[in-house]
Structures are given as structure tokens and as C-alpha cells.
Amino acid sequence: MRDYRPERPEPEDFDDFWSRTLDEAKAFDVAAGFRRHDLPLTGVDVHDATFAGWGGHPVNAWFITPAGAGERLPCVVEYVGYNTGRGFPHHHLVWPAAGYAVLVVDARGQGGRSFDSPGGTADPGGGTFAEAPGMMTRGILDPEHYYYRRVFTDAVRAVDAAAAHPAVDPERIVVSGGSQGGAIAQAVAGLRGDVRAALIDVPFLSHFRRAVEITGADPYREIVRFLSAQRGMEERVFRTLSYFDGLNFAARGRVPALYSVALMDDVCPPSTVFAAYNHWAGPKEIVVYPWNNHEGGSGAQVERQLHYLRELFAAG
Amino acid sequence: MRDYRPERPEPEDFDDFWSRTLDEAKAFDVAAGFRRHDLPLTGVDVHDATFAGWGGHPVNAWFITPAGAGERLPCVVEYVGYNTGRGFPHHHLVWPAAGYAVLVVDARGQGGRSFDSPGGTADPGGGTFAEAPGMMTRGILDPEHYYYRRVFTDAVRAVDAAAAHPAVDPERIVVSGGSQGGAIAQAVAGLRGDVRAALIDVPFLSHFRRAVEITGADPYREIVRFLSAQRGMEERVFRTLSYFDGLNFAARGRVPALYSVALMDDVCPPSTVFAAYNHWAGPKEIVVYPWNNHEGGSGAQVERQLHYLRELFAAG
Amino acid sequence: MRDYRPERPEPEDFDDFWSRTLDEAKAFDVAAGFRRHDLPLTGVDVHDATFAGWGGHPVNAWFITPAGAGERLPCVVEYVGYNTGRGFPHHHLVWPAAGYAVLVVDARGQGGRSFDSPGGTADPGGGTFAEAPGMMTRGILDPEHYYYRRVFTDAVRAVDAAAAHPAVDPERIVVSGGSQGGAIAQAVAGLRGDVRAALIDVPFLSHFRRAVEITGADPYREIVRFLSAQRGMEERVFRTLSYFDGLNFAARGRVPALYSVALMDDVCPPSTVFAAYNHWAGPKEIVVYPWNNHEGGSGAQVERQLHYLRELFAAG
Amino acid sequence: MRDYRPERPEPEDFDDFWSRTLDEAKAFDVAAGFRRHDLPLTGVDVHDATFAGWGGHPVNAWFITPAGAGERLPCVVEYVGYNTGRGFPHHHLVWPAAGYAVLVVDARGQGGRSFDSPGGTADPGGGTFAEAPGMMTRGILDPEHYYYRRVFTDAVRAVDAAAAHPAVDPERIVVSGGSQGGAIAQAVAGLRGDVRAALIDVPFLSHFRRAVEITGADPYREIVRFLSAQRGMEERVFRTLSYFDGLNFAARGRVPALYSVALMDDVCPPSTVFAAYNHWAGPKEIVVYPWNNHEGGSGAQVERQLHYLRELFAAG
Amino acid sequence: MRDYRPERPEPEDFDDFWSRTLDEAKAFDVAAGFRRHDLPLTGVDVHDATFAGWGGHPVNAWFITPAGAGERLPCVVEYVGYNTGRGFPHHHLVWPAAGYAVLVVDARGQGGRSFDSPGGTADPGGGTFAEAPGMMTRGILDPEHYYYRRVFTDAVRAVDAAAAHPAVDPERIVVSGGSQGGAIAQAVAGLRGDVRAALIDVPFLSHFRRAVEITGADPYREIVRFLSAQRGMEERVFRTLSYFDGLNFAARGRVPALYSVALMDDVCPPSTVFAAYNHWAGPKEIVVYPWNNHEGGSGAQVERQLHYLRELFAAG
Amino acid sequence: MRDYRPERPEPEDFDDFWSRTLDEAKAFDVAAGFRRHDLPLTGVDVHDATFAGWGGHPVNAWFITPAGAGERLPCVVEYVGYNTGRGFPHHHLVWPAAGYAVLVVDARGQGGRSFDSPGGTADPGGGTFAEAPGMMTRGILDPEHYYYRRVFTDAVRAVDAAAAHPAVDPERIVVSGGSQGGAIAQAVAGLRGDVRAALIDVPFLSHFRRAVEITGADPYREIVRFLSAQRGMEERVFRTLSYFDGLNFAARGRVPALYSVALMDDVCPPSTVFAAYNHWAGPKEIVVYPWNNHEGGSGAQVERQLHYLRELFAAG
């Protein structure tokens, strides 16, 4: 399994699709705003950040730096897991405690139900067809309207938003995330060569075809539910998904990547994670957690990432 | 419980809100279209119907009549249960077999996952905030943007669409539905006095406050999930819901209504159904199923409705 | 899997067993009775039908025709799924709407608990040993007394009952059903060469040995439960089942058959369905639903069947 | 709750029904047979017993005595819990070890699936209507055909069978059982005044109306399932059940009874047990287990019963 | 419910028991050790702390301060939830970011299975009787040997350990925790008057009698499981628990306390939390989360606590 | 699978470890005590037995013989399943009824929650690290402190305790048990050559590596839970387990062994049972139950064992 490197389902116009998508987004100024957020935290500066994502829609984020940082800092842009949001600022103190800025970006429309990590960003894009509950099938009949087109575009622009802040060193931006967040970080790193590294944990949205066939768990299962109702739409659905499959972004990744995978993961099956990892085209490492389910390395992997970035930046 | 008739949470501008909403919708021509749908069914004429709902968005429906009907027929406009769609035409043969036309209307955005009753109508309206999965919390912070504002408006206009067909007698249109469909039928009958009757089974979306407090089951539970994450938004949420509470529509119902309720219903608790029924302001009957859960009377209630309408129309 | 065609566990006296069984049943006149059932349905004529099944026991059915049919009609004889009954007449309007008569036949003893499709036919035969709850193990120690001996015999005679009605063209009787109903239709088509076609959806009771070994779901699991308690009775049980295995009926099928199978079916595993299909000895087609569980094609398959029969009868 | 003593739903002809039932059964000789069952057990004599129950049908039992017993022994006639059978002889050594004979009686038709306590007695009586899976609704539309008419009759005759064995002192027969077995023991003690005592643990089948309304657990739930499908049959069902309600048997109990009840029992709610206990008309005690579910006192209650019977028989 | 203030089950020698317990513990020097823990975190100083708890057993903790703190800081001593441990240092950055030291203390024996918050402290005390799995019944037959005697003693001494660090201002130590951690903080604040405040979220171990009677959820349910097996030990068990009931500690609380409670909490029922809160003898506030289960206020409550402590210390 | 005989993970000092362990235990006199236990059972003599187990800790057992046995009897030493205890004396009458003595031995610390088979023996040894709930990970980081070191030592000494009773023939002691009890019997028979035979049903604790990798069920799963939290301790854990793996005890078994295995066992996978059986070095038989889960042969296997021992002892 560790060497599993399947064929990628790449549409011919994959690059066109994405360059067009990102170009269209550029019609909207990124308009990054950072409003000081008052909390009794003296060690960090917290900002309620916003920027214009896909379609110019406002996306919420927390931007946190060590208090009174005097120099341009490296910055971790962090993406969130499925059905969660940016949560509370004090959840994101680890990078500032390590001397980095951090920008934690909502996934639009999500975060309405996570009592631990609520979010508040709308997805005004809406649907173009009936949906199965959840985000996985919103607009799935057409790559132009698929939900993750908007999310990935937001995420690419989050890097611009981070770079726009005077405390951030644009040369040292790292993307990061677990599960959906890992998928987004992987996509961003595949779409823009100018991030410094990618931290990708138990990534979701990779090798869709295999995942939906073998996994009995949500959120991949949302797609099965849709296909079970919308008989005959399989071809259209998988065509759409081919524009969003992590395998294709991984194959475009050129920057250093630190992956992690859990061998008992039944949400994002490890074979699909290895499939992405083995396609990653840049320098890479993977940490394997043999006894964990989708939680993966959890805090242990965060410590691993702290070391990884220290070495990366120490090396220049 | 059978006499339970709680206070209604009615906002002062309830009627204004709805007359404004429906007026705005009238800016869009209802544009009812009926495209013949070829099926090897000789006893009925099936049409794939569409009309302009809220915001002018296209809404799908099946329109079915007895084959070769030569006179204007009474018509049942039927609304669907949560997470389902209009399904297959041959699911809706009972009213044509009784000599009626039937128009079965999608609930926008829903129906993506029901393998028995798929739907295909989009909800392009989108959200204005993060959502809990499902439709219950889409736009819930503001009555203007709440999902059911669009659905109820679609439903009101479905009656116009039905009336627009030459085979339909506009004086004899009945609205009908179970669960969400019952809530919609109840709302339509409360909003327009020109339907002939309402068939309302185990209605959902009635007496929200009690339902979300006592019910452990979805879809009411979606609202609890949202509130558990979005702490402090309770007031805004219940204010929004007060514009959509079945109690307020029931209090405006003037036409004959046939309700049904199931005493072991843990999805739409029977107390909330009686609450609506006891507020209904027109002639009314309720059929009680003591041993059923949310399935209520199922086919038995359909037979009851056939008799009810026969008598109703026989009486003129 | 699609070519899976395992050995069949056929007892030497399989044909003798069944011809003797059916001959014994003929000792009882089929005594088909059709009592007009009053419903406010003008488009169809509904009859509460009964006939003498195995042991002369009365079996209930609905018999429905297009209203006022003047000629002899083709007729679909439909068998029901496990634990359901004939349900409500208005559930069975699709064949009449297509110009056919339909006879929907109870499975004896079942239908006591399905709130959607209740039945009311007794199984007075009783058991000859202790049973696991459900019907699967009633009389399972002896083919003479096995429950399905009575059910299949009822089903064979249902065709005679249909043929006995003056509105039915005995040359154009089709058997049909899903799951248990599919198994019954398959058995009837294997036992009598005079039906015109068989519509067999996700059939149950086929390739018992494999099914009980690999499936964790009821109702096959009832047999596992019995064997886990009645240690040492395995040989007797599988000997009995060999007289009722769909593989053996399929191998005797000579008429055109339209099968369907769902690849995510965990109640009737698709391999067991293909096993039956690949043994079918007559003209055949199979529709594959890759993303569905035991619901299979549902309404989509019904539409497929409407087309199939139209072409079949058009061809003569 | 401990004093709960509700109205009893007693039909006028309750006593007639049962005396007629038992009289009819007497048409069949009890025909108790005791076949030596070879096991490497030197301390007991084990017999595979059989006798003619309701309708003369053979009922299986184990009859076990201390090895080489030279005098007439007191005998415990034990009835089994729902869905179990007489099990293995070595499960029933406690009474012989205490110097009693024991007769453990199958419940007809049950025991097909209990891997711990299989049974092997058939219920050839069969049904007179569709059933919900399980035994609770077999024949439930008519007291003449209800399943428990046969079971209780078998149980009454089991006492005759025990008394027929030369090693048994017919003056010292005690009936015993838990759950369904408790209900049966209670019924037998109510129907025949000649048993010496009754040991009734967490009895089932008592105060049906309340039990089916408040309990969400099987087997009472089987009745709810039936009623949910067979709408409108409530009156007939509860009329039938009134002939079998433990409250009515308890009110006829004149012999000493030792009950037990568990306060966290969600299968046989404690209120229904107290209801029966408080109606018991003879000398009585009840042991309350506050922290147990339906397992009740388990082995602790058996020890209690050993003491109880020792004192009872010591007192003469 | 909000005013619920039941009788407290307080043994006469409650204070003696605890003063003796804590005195005995003093025989062991607290021996607080702080070993620098190397992590790539520049904003904080992390120490792997240990101290001698009950019986002199080593207890693990994380001790974290803002980097290079030059003055004596207020310190939050935090206790952990059931079955978790101190976790990873970077989980505990919120208090340092607010300018406090924090000491996060393992609960002995726990933390072996939490993939998010592992712990590593042994409970060498062992048991004095059979246990139900989990910690709730270890030693429960005797207050001397009950598990929480050791845990609460550890917790009291953790305050000494914190006070022993030169960076901590012993006058400004606050105890804190949620669920089990809340119960521990409550106990510590009740046992020693010298902490500055207590932050008590959804406390566990309060009003045992009611909790075990009404709650179906673990860990309270562990006690029910024990009582269901160890029939007759109820009196001993509740006597032991009376020495550990949060109601008794609350009644001794004199320092300011900030509680929180969740109205949909089915692990620690809100009535039991209000019972403790209403007995708290010092200044107090409670935050009510109406729509949350046992997660309570989560990050929102942390923000509330940050404000609360800022005001508390601002006021001196 | 039936011939599966994997490599054994045997540490070099396995024999040293165990001889040292047992020698250390011999420092404590076995101190077998047999206190007459009064029950109204005339056919057996029941003793509440105790003896000094590992560390001299008292271990409880029931010792039961046929009443007034005049000669030295063969004796079955029986070990109990996970989370149960010695239960009630009357649960263990089968061996006395067959003319044997029986000693039923508690597993220390367990039995606190089994309402059917409670136990009362403490495990004062305690832990040396955090634990996952249950016994499986207590002390798992070090073979010296692992929980089963104490249990297996207790079990070895139980044979000495049995042999110490004057009614027991020390040459005819048989060890027996199912699941955990089977694992213990297997270990005892591997550790001491002087038992006469071993009855080993569906043994647990055999082939740990495979079991924890493939089984989703407790109690093996407790180890996975521990490893998922205590990342990086895998090597230490499996090193510890290698001293306790049933494969290594089986390879040392020289006496006749009767195994049983269930092919649908998802608690102790059959491959792991065959792995042990195929390593057993003495005379052996295995009974295969194809349709059972972890209950295996249940009472049927007990009958098999009765025959097996009769033949064994008949042969001398």
C-alpha cells in the first residue's frame, strides 16, 4: 500500500480550468481586512480578518501574531476540517508561540454546527441542482459550479491575504491542514508555486473514485448517497470531481511537503493518502501512524511539524 | 394533549412580511411550462412541469392528469417531505386515478439523496452564513434569507402554475403533503384563501420552540446543532423562525382542512401537530393514529383523503 | 463478479418434488374470487381477490384493472418483499395506468408489521420445529414443511387465479417482484413455462450457501441464527434449502427475463444475484445499479420495466 | 410505584374461556414420556421428557432428578424466557442439587435461535392472520387462536406431566420462571390451585396496555409494530390480550408466591410487575433489585428461592 | 431547576477524613520538579513537571509560562476530564498567552486511551475489590481506598507544586477544569481556602445519588454497572461516595467561583450542576448554555474565563 | 485457515521469565483455605475458597464437590471469561454432577460489573502507567508489571490450591476455561506439566499481533486504543505481550488438550485460535462450530468435554 500510485483521472483542460478560475477571481481585489479583536490575551495580537474569496465573497479568518512582532514573520495559512470553521482565536496559539503568524481560514458555508470550532462564512454561491445534505454534492454536476471550486479559490487567495499583512514575510508562507484542510493545503500548494511548504495531514478529497467505492463513512459517503438517488449521473459526477482530485494537485506540487497518514483511518482510507503522497512531485516525507483512525497524529504531528518547519527555515 | 393550543410566537409584521414576499415574487412571471414526458403509460398524461418560483428560479414538478381529460379537473398540489423530491411520475397516480390532476412540486435544493424520490431543483439562493448540514439553518439568521422563505414562495406559486394549465379548474385546487409537505401545504393554505382545501399530515415546522426543545430527532435537531455551535444566536434564530412557524399559518387558515397525527411520532411530536391543528381557523378534522411513528397513517390516510375530497366536491 | 456462475446445489428429485407439490395443490380448486372493493377511484377497478393456495388456504391479493376495460388485458402478477403484504390498492396503479391488469399477492403470514404495506394472509401451516423469529426457518428441517414450499405454491397458483379472471389474457401474464418478490417470480417462472416474461429485481433466496456465509444482514441472517443454536443441523438445513434455491429455478427459466442488481446491496449480495442471472436459461437482460444498496433501481427500474414490456408485447 | 394496582381489563367470560380451553385439552391424554438421556453425569438422572400439550401436540422438556432418588420428591416445573428453549440438561442442576426434581419445559415454536438455550418444540397451530416477526402477534386477533392460549395450556399440562412421574410428589409441585417464564408460572398458578407455590421473576405479559404504551423494547414492541401496520385493530387486539393478561391470573393466585422485580428493567417495566404483584391474591413476597435491568436478581434470586422453598417445605 | 438545592449526604467525619488524608500526604515532600521540555516554541517556556501526590506517588504535569517571564505570575492549575491526560504542551497555550503560568495535571491512571490528550501517570494504589472497567469503582467499598481519594489529594498538592515554582505568585493561584476536571477544581477549592478563584465547568462527581439514578451515560453509569453486579452493596457504595460528593466541597467553597452548565448535558445532568452551584458558599456566577450537551461552553467559556480572571485580578 | 501456524514472537528469556515469576510466587505459601458456604444444596458441598496468588494476594474461588465424597476425586480447575468473576456456586454444578470436584477461580480485579457472574477479588498490584479502561493495558509497558503476569501466576497456584484439598486427587487435575479462561487454562497447561488435561474454548490472548490488527472488538481493542494514544510505544507493548502470548504457552503444552473454535467469532478470530491449536505440542483435538460467534459451542461443548474426560479417565 505504501507504494500505491494509481493512474490519475486528469481532464485535459485541468490547468486551463484552474488558471481561468483563479484569473476570474482576480477581478475582485483581495481586499484583506484585519480588524483588531479584543481578547484578554497579552502574548498575541488577534485580528478578525476578512478577504474577498471566489466571486468576491467575504471569507472570515483569524490572523494571529506574537504580540508586538517587530519583523516580518513566517506565516502558516491553515485550512479547516469538514463541517468546522475557524473556531476560537485561542485555539490557534501554537504557531504564534513558535514565532509565526497564523491565518486560520473558514471553509465557506461550513462551521454552522461544530460546537468546538464554529465558523461564520457564507457560501452565497448556492446550488445548481438538488443536493445531498452536506457540501460534497453542491453543484457537483458541473465543475464550474462545484462547491470546492469556490473553496479552493478562497484558499488560494487566503495566501494573498496573508501576504498582504505587513507582519508577514511573503516568502515564508506555509499552507497547512488536516483532512479537508489537508486537501485544501494540497490543492493550494499544487496551484501556486510560491508557498514555502505544505503540511498535509490525512488529506481528504484525494482519489475520489477509490474513496467513494471503498469507504462507508461520511463525508465521502455523501457522494454515494447522491449517486444512489441520481441514477445515471455517475459520469458527470466523476468528471466534475476530476478537476478537484488531490492526486492532480499533488502531481503539481513542487515545494517541500510533510504528509501524515493513519493506517486505521476509515474516513480517508490510507491507500488514498498514499496515492496522493506518491504523486507529490516535490521533496516529501510522510509520517505513518499505524494504530490511529482519522485523528491521525493529532498533537504528536503538530510537534513534528514544529520541528520540520524549524529545520526548513533554519536551512533557509 | 389533544386540546393543546399554546401561545403563538407571531411577529408584528408577519402579514407584511409575507405580502411583501409574495408581491416581490410576482415580479417574475410564473411562466408555467408543461413538457410532455414520454412514458409507456396509457392511462395518464404526464408532463414535466416547471415554473418560476422565488427569485424567478425554475422549480420542477410533475403534472399528471387522467389521459385525455376533456373537462377542467380538480387538482391536488402536492408538496414533498424533507430531503426528498418529486420522485418518479408513476409514484403519483392515485389522484389521477381518482379523476384529479396532480402537481407534485420539488422542494428546492432537496431530493439529491433520496433513492426513492429524487428531485432535481436547485436552490441558487445560497446562504448568508455558515450552515449546519441540511436545509434547516440555511439563512436562519434573517427571515429575508431563510431557506423556507423561498420554499413557501415556490409553493404559493405552484398553485398559480397549476391554475395556469387548461385542464385544471382553478376553483378546485387542493394543497396536500406530509411532514415538510404538510407544513408547506399548511403555509400555502394560510397565505392564500383561494385554495379549496388542505390535506395536512403530521406537519413539520410547527411550534418550533417546543419541537427543538423536546425532539431528539432530525430535522428539527439541525437547529439544535446550529445553536450549540453558534452560541448566543438563539434570539435571532427564533425570531426568524417565527415568520415560518406553522402555528401562524394555521391561525390564518380559513378553508377546510383534514389533518392527521401519530401519537408515537418522534420526528414531529404530536403535541406540536395538535398545537397547529387547534389553531387552524377554518373547518377541520383530524385523524389520530395511536400506534404510529412519523409514518402516520400512510396509505390508510390517503384512502381517508380520497373519501374526504369526494365528499367535499360532491357537496360542491 | 458479473460472470459468476457457481455450481448449483440441486437435489436429484428436485423436479419430482415440485411436480408432486404442485399436483397436490391441484387437489384444491383455485377458487379465485374477486370482490369489488369500493374506493373513490374512477380510473381503475379494484377487486379484493382471494384464491386457494397451498393446502387450499386462502391467499389475499389485490386485482386492479383500468376502469371499464373491454378487452382481455395482459396482466402482471406481482409478489411482495419480505415482511410486507399487498399493501393498499392505490400503491399498485402503475400497471393499470399502462394498460395492464395487476394481481398483487400476499406472502402468507407476512405483512403483519409493515406500516406501509400491510398484509393479511395467514400461514396456517405452522411449524414442525422451533423457529428463529421470522419466516426463514419455519419448517426448515424438512423440504416438505419448509415455509417457502407453501409460498411458492401459492405463487404458482396466483397465476392461475389471474388467468381465471375474464379481463385477463392468459397468454400474456408476466411475473414480477423485488427481493423476496423477485425470488418468488423467479421460482414461478422456473416452475411454469406458460408465463410470458419475468421481471426479477435484486432477488432474494438465491445461492443460499454463499449468502448466509457472507451476509451479515437479515433476513438471510435468520438462518445463521438458527444454525448457531441448532448445532449439527447444517446438513439438513442446506438440503432443505436446495429445493428452494433460486439457482435451480433460474436454470429452468425459459421465458424472457429482465433482472436488476445493485452493487452495494448488502442484503442480497450482488454475487448471488449474478449467480442466478447467469444460470437463467432463457433470453435475459440485467440492469446494474452501481451505487445502490438493496433498494436497487427503485422507480427507475419500474420505468425500465414499462419499456421492456411495451417492446415485448409490441413484438408479440 | 410499589403500591401500583391498576384496574384489570378482565373479560366477562375469562374463567369460562380458560376452563373450556383446559377441558378441551383434556381430550388428549397427557401421555407423559420420559426417555433416559445418556450423559456422563453420575449425580443426576436425566430424562428427555415429552407430553401432549394443547391440541395434543408434543412438547419437549428435560426431567432431572438427583441420581437414584428413592422417595417422592418435590418438583420445580420451570418455564423458559422468550425466544429460548429448554437448553441443555446440565443448565438445570440447581434444583436436583437441592434435592428436588425439575421439569424444564419448552415454549412451543421458540428456541430456534438461542445459542445458549435452544429448544426444539414445534408450534403446529400456525396463524390465522399475518404476523409481526416473533410470537407475540401470532393469532392475536382472536383469543381462541392466540399463541399464548397454546403455551399456557401446555404449561398447565406440564404440571400433570410432572405429577405423572413416580419420583414426583404431586403435592409438592412448584412453578417457576423469569420474564416469559414468570408470566407462564403466574398463569399456571392462577389457573390451577393445586401447585404448592410460584416463583415469579420479572414477569412478562402483565398489564399489556401500559407495557406496550411505555416500553420501547421487544418483545412488547412486537405488538406495537403489529398495531402500527394493522391500523384499526386495536380493540380486537386488546380484547384478545385481556384473556392472557397476567393481572387476571395474579388476581386468581391463591398459593404462596415469591416475586422479584428490577427497577431499571426496560423490557418488563417495574410498574407492570408491581401491578401484577399487588393483584396477587395469595401470600406473597417481592424482592426488589434497584440497580438491575431485565436480568433482575439472576443467581442471587435463585439463592433466594432455594431458601424460600426450604422454609416453605420445612413448614410443611 | 436553576434553584435546585437538595440535601447534602454529608458524613459526620467528612472534615476529619479530609484533614487526615491531606495530613498523611504531607508526610511526603511535594518534591516539585520542573524539567525543561524542548519544543520549537519560542513564546513560552515549557516544563515537564512532576510532584509527589498521594502516597508520594509521582504525578505528571505540564508547567508552561510566557517565555522569559520576569515577575511572579498568577497561575492556573488545570485538571483534566475523565479518561484523558495532560495531553500535549501546545494544547495549553491560552493561559500563558494571557500572561499566566499554567500547570496541567494528569489524573492518575487515566489518559491511556485518549488519542488527543494522552497522559502517563500511574495509579499504583490499585484496588481492594473487583472493579467495573474504568476508574469510578476502584476501591469504592471504602472511602480510605477509593480512587478519588488519591486523585483529590494529588490535586490539592498540585497547588503546592505550582506555588513552589519561583515564577508563580502563590497568592494568585486559580483552579480550573471541566467535567471531572471541574469536580476536582471544586474539591480543591473546597479543601483549601488559599486559592484565589475556581473555574468550574459542567462538573462531574456532584450529587452522585441523583446522577446515577437518572443518567444513562458513562462514566456515572460505571457505578450502576457495579451495583447491578454487586447486589446489596448499595449502602457501602453511597457511604463512600458521600466523602467525595461535589455538593459537600461546594458547601465549603469560600473563594469566587465561575461555573458553567449546559442544559442538554446528558453526561453530567444540569440539575446536578445547579445542585452544586447552589450550595457553593462563596461569591459565584454561572453561565448557562441552553443548547449544548456535555461540551458546554467550550471555547466560548474559555473566553468568558479570560475576562473573568482579568477583572478579578484587576480588582486585586 | 485450519492449518494456520504462524511464527511465534517468543522472547529469548521466556522460560526464565516464567520460572522466575513462579519461583517468586512460591515465597508466599499457597495458604489454601476452604470455608464451608451454607446453601440449601444437599447434593453438593460448597466451599468459599481462597489462596495466596501472585504477591501473596488473596484470590477467591468456589470449591464444590459431590456431597459426602469419600474418595479422592478428579478436579476441574476452571478460569473465567473477561470481566466476569466466579459468579454463584450454583452456576458450577456440572462437574460435581459428573463426579468431579471443581475449583472456579476469580480473575483478579475483574467481576465488578457482571450481573450474571460477579467476582470479588482485588488486584492490589495497581498500574505503573496510565491505562486504557479495562485490564488489557494495566502495566503493559513492562512484562514484570503486566496485569496477566499476576493472573497467570494466580492461575498456576490455583492448581496447587486444588491439590491441597484432601478430596482432590492431585494426579487428575484438569484445567478449563473459555475465552480469557481458555487463555489462562492454556497458559497453566503450558507452564506446568503436571495437569492431566486442558479444555480450551475459543481462547483469548493468543497471537496478539494479528488479533489486534484484524479485530474491531473488545477486549483486544483496548490495546489498539492504548496504542492510538501512546504513539510510539508499539515496540514496548508487543515485547511485553510476547511473554503472555498463547502461542508460546501452546508450544509448551504436552498434555492432552481439547480445543474449540467458532468460525464466526469476531472477538477471538478463529485464525488466532487455530494458530494456538496448531502450535500445541501435545495430543489434541479441536471442535469446530461453523455458525457461532464468540459463544462457540456453549453447552454443546460442555457435553463434549464431559465425554472427553470420561474417556480420558477411563483410559487411565
Side-chain angles (χ1 to χ4, degrees), chain C residues 125-188:
Chain C
T128 51
F129 194 72
E131 311 164 14
M135 295 299 184
M136 297 298 296
T137 63
R138 189 173 284 178
I140 201 170
L141 295 186
D142 184 346
E144 300 295 319
H145 296 103
Y146 190 42
Y147 169 73
Y148 281 105
R149 186 174 183 233
R150 303 192 287 274
V151 172
F152 288 179
T153 303
D154 293 347
V156 164
R157 291 168 67 84
V159 175
D160 297 324
H165 195 280
V168 171
D169 174 357
E171 305 296 310
R172 287 186 295 163
I173 292 177
V174 170
V175 289
S176 169
S179 195
Q180 177 186 265
I184 299 173
Q186 184 176 250
V188 173

Side-chain angles (χ1 to χ4, degrees), chain E residues 109-111 115 119 122 130-131 138 230, chain F residues 109-111 119 129-131 138 230:
Chain E
Q110 298 183 25
F115 50 73
E131 309 163 16
R138 188 173 286 179
Q230 306 292 339
Chain F
Q110 299 182 25
F129 193 72
E131 310 163 15
R138 188 173 285 179
Q230 306 292 340

Side-chain angles (χ1 to χ4, degrees), chain B residues 78-126:
Chain B
E78 191 162 317
Y79 306 106
V80 297
Y82 194 70
N83 268 335
T84 70
R86 61 178 182 168
F88 296 90
H90 66 263
H91 289 163
H92 309 292
L93 299 175
V94 64
W95 298 116
Y100 304 83
V102 67
L103 183 79
V104 185
V105 187
D106 262 2
R108 54 167 64 209
Q110 299 182 25
R113 77 147 200 208
S114 168
F115 50 73
D116 278 330
S117 292
T121 299
D123 176 32

Side-chain angles (χ1 to χ4, degrees), chain C residues 72-106:
Chain C
R72 285 189 168 256
L73 300 169
C75 178
V76 174
V77 177
E78 193 162 315
Y79 306 106
V80 298
Y82 195 70
N83 267 335
T84 70
R86 61 178 183 168
F88 296 90
H90 67 263
H91 288 165
H92 308 291
L93 299 175
V94 64
W95 299 116
Y100 305 83
V102 67
L103 183 80
V104 185
V105 187
D106 262 3

